[in-house]
Amino acid sequence: MQPRSRHRITVDIPVVVTTVLDSMEGTIVDLSEGGAQVAGCGLPVRSQCQIDYEGHVVFGTVQWSEEDRMGIRFPYELADGPLFDRLEIARAARLTPTALQPRTLGARPAGGFGRRFG
């Protein structure tokens, strides 16, 4: 098994997964440019499907599947569209420091962990 080339970002995106024979609702729970994990539905491994989100379609192949979730690999990396926009928003939110814990430059951390200051 090869390591992932892209880091997946946790998201919560309701989608419709469609095959030739069926359509089912699911939720993308993690996403990268190269693939997604969809919870709430499952298809057989190697199934071809499409993910419908906000009127746009992304094609994919099921790489692994369990009863209620599956991993889908995209043949073409996401580079635009609403799913890519949601990925960028989630990635930016993950990298932005929280406003609840402001940090001051040069401030020394309190407590006994980390480097000791004397």
Side-chain angles (χ1 to χ4, degrees), residues 35-108:
Q37 180 181 165
V38 179
C41 58
L43 293 169
V45 173
R46 293 189 299 277
S47 296
Q48 302 291 314
C49 63
Q50 67 183 40
I51 297 173
D52 299 299
Y53 178 67
E54 290 189 355
H56 287 79
V57 173
V58 176
F59 295 97
T61 303
V62 177
Q63 297 298 301
W64 60 267
S65 183
E66 295 179 358
E67 186 175 321
D68 64 341
R69 64 188 181 123
M70 61 187 161
I72 298 175
R73 181 176 180 207
F74 306 142
Y76 304 104
E77 288 199 355
L78 293 177
D80 59 9
L83 272 182
F84 180 75
D85 294 343
R86 288 289 301 268
L87 174 61
E88 291 293 299
I89 290 167
R91 188 173 279 142
R94 184 172 178 252
L95 297 175
T96 303
T98 62
L100 298 175
Q101 298 177 354
R103 299 191 83 187
T104 307
L105 292 177
R108 293 183 178 181

Side-chain angles (χ1 to χ4, degrees), residues 11-17 24-29 38-39 51-54 83 86:
V11 293
D12 184 17
I13 305 171
V15 295
V16 175
V17 179
M24 54 197 119
E25 294 182 4
T27 302
I28 296 177
V29 294
V38 179
I51 297 173
D52 299 299
Y53 178 67
E54 290 189 355
L83 272 182
R86 288 289 301 268

